[in-house]
Amino acid sequence: MNISEWIHTAVLAVIQGLTEFLPISSSAHLILPSQLLGWPDQGLAFDVGVHVGTLLAVMFYFRRELVVMTLAWGRSLSGTTDAEGRLAWLVILATLPALAFGFMLEGMIDHYGRSILVIAATTLVFGVLLGWADSRRSEQRSVEALGVRDACMIGLAQAVALIPGTSRSGITITAALMLGFDRQSAARFSFLLSIPVILGAGSLKGLELYQAGNSAHWVQIGAGTVIAGLSALACIHLFLKWLDKVGMAPFVIYRLLLGVLLLAVYFWMPEAAL
């Protein structure tokens, strides 16, 4: 690997680590280096690696909650259900819509949803929706008040994030805020929901990689995994720490600027948008 390849690896891994959990859309950011700078696709193995990195980061950050929830979920199978076991079941329930729609619509989304125009539109529309939900939040409910209906609604919102540019964390936080949850609870449930989703997506990509049998630059992939994991861990910690102070306004403004930039690329740089 030459120096430019190392730079590409580091930049793309940081982008993946940050945008996986910030409500600003990973697909909107990952498209810019390739479209504007002409960077090559890093390949399926690299994609698997950075997904593993972000998965390990969120599991490490919520390790105590995951242990408690897993043990409680196991007890619930024998008929003893407590708050942690119930939360584990609600995470599973909220994951099902994304799995179902992802299985049914994967080909259609890959074919129609990867254009800059689609990503620009969803970046703008769901950025405005996030700002509206945050401005009208009631903050009357915490994670402990989460019910089956809430999990289903947030799960359906997460399925919408299959459309590139939506942002999985952004749309799930938006839905939770609209249902009356406080910012911290909305973000924490969104991050817990990311675990089975990232695990599922990474497993599918890993299966594709195995079936393809392609050789890979394992040093590059390892570096990408570590960089994505560390940047994701820092992102989760700082986001939850500053969330109540800064709110969603900075992310909304950023999404609007990013959406306008993508539209400019599409209309004034058509050769880059191809």
Side-chain angles (χ1 to χ4, degrees):
M1 289 178 62
N2 56 42
I3 187 65
S4 64
E5 290 175 321
W6 279 111
I7 293 173
H8 295 175
T9 295
V11 171
L12 293 175
V14 169
I15 290 175
Q16 178 65 37
L18 295 179
T19 59
E20 185 70 51
F21 299 107
L22 292 179
I24 54 177
S25 173
S26 60
S27 52
H29 288 77
L30 291 173
I31 198 174
L32 288 174
S34 62
Q35 299 292 348
L36 297 182
L37 304 177
W39 288 10
D41 190 326
Q42 295 297 301
L44 184 58
F46 181 81
D47 202 7
V48 173
V50 294
H51 273 80
V52 170
T54 54
L55 176 64
L56 292 176
V58 70
M59 291 182 68
F60 177 79
Y61 190 87
F62 291 102
R63 60 193 181 279
R64 295 185 180 86
E65 291 93 326
L66 289 176
V67 169
V68 172
M69 287 170 61
T70 301
L71 294 175
W73 180 80
R75 291 193 300 269
S76 73
L77 297 177
S78 61
T80 304
T81 303
D82 54 18
E84 290 77 14
R86 186 167 176 271
L87 178 59
W89 280 112
L90 292 175
V91 168
I92 294 172
L93 176 62
T95 304
L96 296 179
L99 295 179
F101 283 101
F103 178 77
M104 292 186 295
L105 303 177
E106 180 182 9
M108 182 182 299
I109 292 170
D110 285 339
H111 183 72
Y112 295 105
R114 300 293 178 183
S115 75
I116 288 186
L117 185 59
V118 170
I119 294 174
T122 51
T123 298
L124 290 168
V125 169
F126 290 106
V128 171
L129 186 61
L130 173 63
W132 179 83
D134 190 51
S135 67
R136 297 180 63 85
R137 72 189 188 284
S138 61
E139 297 207 343
Q140 296 177 344
R141 308 172 68 194
S142 64
V143 169
E144 290 73 19
L146 191 76
V148 171
R149 175 180 173 273
D150 303 312
C152 290
M153 297 295 290
I154 296 172
L156 288 172
Q158 181 170 241
V160 176
L162 292 167
I163 304 172
T166 301
S167 171
R168 190 210 60 81
S169 62
I171 193 66
T172 51
I173 291 173
T174 296
L177 292 174
M178 292 174 68
L179 290 168
F181 290 91
D182 61 78
R183 286 171 173 162
Q184 287 289 330
S185 296
R188 286 182 173 273
F189 189 66
S190 173
F191 292 157
L192 289 174
L193 275 184
S194 73
I195 295 173
V197 170
I198 298 174
L199 180 60
S203 298
L204 287 177
K205 291 179 181 295
L207 179 60
E208 291 177 22
L209 179 64
Y210 174 78
Q211 292 173 339
N214 294 333
S215 60
H217 299 289
W218 294 110
V219 174
Q220 175 197 18
I221 294 167
T225 301
V226 172
I227 294 171
L230 292 176
S231 59
L233 188 61
C235 170
I236 295 169
H237 173 72
L238 294 175
F239 181 77
L240 291 175
K241 180 180 180 180
W242 293 338
L243 180 57
D244 289 330
K245 296 179 181 179
V246 303
M248 295 297 169
F251 305 106
V252 173
I253 294 171
Y254 181 83
R255 286 185 68 127
L256 295 179
L257 295 174
L258 178 61
V260 171
L261 174 61
L262 291 170
L263 287 177
V265 170
Y266 182 83
F267 287 109
W268 284 287
M269 299 176 62
E271 67 283 354
L274 296 177

